[in-house]
Amino acid sequence: MRSVNTDSAASPGGRAWDQVDWPIVHRRVRGLQIRIAKATRDRDWRRVKALQRFLVNSYSAKALAVKRVSENDGKRTPGVDGEIWSTPEAKWRAIQRLDSRGLRPQPLRRVYIPKRGSTTKKRPLGIPVMIDRAQQALHLQGLEPVAETQADPHSYGFRRGRGTQDAIARVFNLLARKVSASWILEGDIRGCFDNFRHGWLESHIPMDTKILSGWLKAGYVESESSSRRRQALRKGVSPRRRSQISHWTVWKRC
């Protein structure tokens, strides 16, 4: 694992990162997201696309994307390039690199982790490189207001401002009545996200098709000597993005 740009915070880039006014950054991004949500509600797709383009190219959105991936729980887990952003200098330079033009998604680093509820089974986990994570976080800022405007009001997984307690409250309200159902059925679609057609995703998810296609086709690396291409939705796409995809399969069009 290597930490990129290990200059001290006293360097120009380090000082610039430390001086970012985060309340203003959040306010600017939030303002654009509100405008995207309004345009979505009005079904003005041309305006949605224009505002999304403006957002993902803005300094504020890029800074927020870098902050998100460099300060979350996975910040010390590198991708195939072994790179992490552990210094203010590295984070500041990441903002400069975060441009859709010229960025080519790299394969995921595949590892196997214990499967929940099993002591013997393991499941694969794909780990993107830092710059790909940041680019996904960047475009998520433009997709989230579209998805939230049209999503099922009773869907709670990987959605901002919602959590387990909201789902529990909803279930209680449904089951606490005298005429409530007697049974609860739990279902799981085997290989759900492994079998989405790329063409369908590219035509229904309102974002840059070239960038989305690059993520879907980046493949993964299990060892230094083996690299394979996946024809399915890669596990390195964030859980929130996959949750949004499930919403779009119901609503069909954004």
Side-chain angles (χ1 to χ4, degrees):
M1 179 178 68
R2 61 189 177 90
S3 176
V4 175
N5 303 321
T6 54
D7 308 34
S8 70
S11 66
R15 289 198 302 271
W17 176 262
D18 291 334
Q19 292 171 4
V20 173
D21 192 329
W22 292 111
I24 290 180
V25 165
H26 281 278
R27 186 161 62 248
R28 288 173 177 170
V29 170
R30 183 61 177 166
L32 281 169
Q33 289 179 321
I34 290 172
R35 293 171 64 186
I36 292 172
K38 289 180 179 178
T40 301
R41 189 168 58 246
D42 296 337
R43 303 188 69 80
D44 186 349
W45 306 119
R46 179 176 295 182
R47 183 165 178 76
V48 168
K49 187 174 182 179
L51 288 169
Q52 285 179 321
R53 186 184 303 113
F54 185 79
L55 175 63
V56 300
N57 284 292
S58 70
Y59 159 79
S60 294
K62 291 177 181 180
L64 205 56
V66 171
K67 179 179 175 65
R68 177 172 180 173
V69 302
S70 63
E71 298 182 4
N72 63 12
D73 292 340
K75 62 185 178 182
R76 295 186 180 88
T77 306
V80 292
D81 60 358
E83 177 181 316
I84 60 172
W85 300 335
S86 59
T87 66
E89 174 70 15
K91 296 172 186 179
W92 179 253
R93 292 196 181 184
I95 297 176
Q96 320 306 316
R97 293 170 56 196
L98 197 54
D99 192 329
S100 59
R101 291 168 296 182
L103 278 182
R104 187 172 183 178
Q106 297 186 52
L108 305 175
R109 180 169 70 90
R110 169 165 278 194
V111 297
Y112 291 86
I113 60 176
K115 194 171 185 178
R116 183 177 297 178
S118 174
T119 57
T120 58
K121 295 182 179 179
K122 293 186 176 183
R123 67 179 182 87
L125 176 68
I127 303 173
V129 297
M130 292 295 292
I131 194 66
D132 285 351
R133 290 181 230 175
Q135 194 179 40
Q136 287 189 20
L138 175 63
H139 285 272
L140 175 63
Q141 294 175 63
L143 284 171
E144 196 167 45
V146 180
E148 287 297 320
T149 301
Q150 295 196 325
D152 186 335
H154 301 303
S155 172
Y156 302 97
F158 300 106
R159 293 181 64 184
R160 188 181 299 275
R162 296 180 177 224
T164 306
Q165 295 300 321
D166 300 298
I168 292 173
R170 173 64 178 169
V171 170
F172 177 81
N173 291 335
L174 290 174
L175 299 180
R177 306 166 187 169
K178 292 182 179 179
V179 294
S180 296
S182 302
W183 295 90
I184 299 176
L185 301 180
E186 180 183 6
D188 184 27
I189 302 175
R190 179 179 296 176
C192 177
F193 291 108
D194 292 337
N195 293 294
F196 277 121
R197 288 188 5 254
H198 289 182
W200 190 96
L201 296 173
E202 291 165 5
S203 63
H204 285 79
I205 296 180
M207 65 167 289
D208 189 305
T209 304
K210 184 177 180 180
I211 294 175
L212 177 59
S213 177
W215 291 341
L216 295 172
K217 297 175 181 177
Y220 61 81
V221 174
E222 288 192 333
S223 67
E224 293 183 359
S225 60
S226 67
S227 177
R228 289 158 43 186
R229 295 286 179 182
R230 295 200 61 180
Q231 295 303 316
L233 182 66
R234 62 187 223 167
K235 291 295 190 293
V237 175
S238 69
R240 184 169 293 176
R241 180 68 53 79
R242 296 201 299 269
S243 177
Q244 291 175 351
I245 289 170
S246 69
H247 294 318
W248 276 309
T249 62
V250 175
W251 291 102
K252 295 295 184 181
R253 178 63 188 171
C254 291

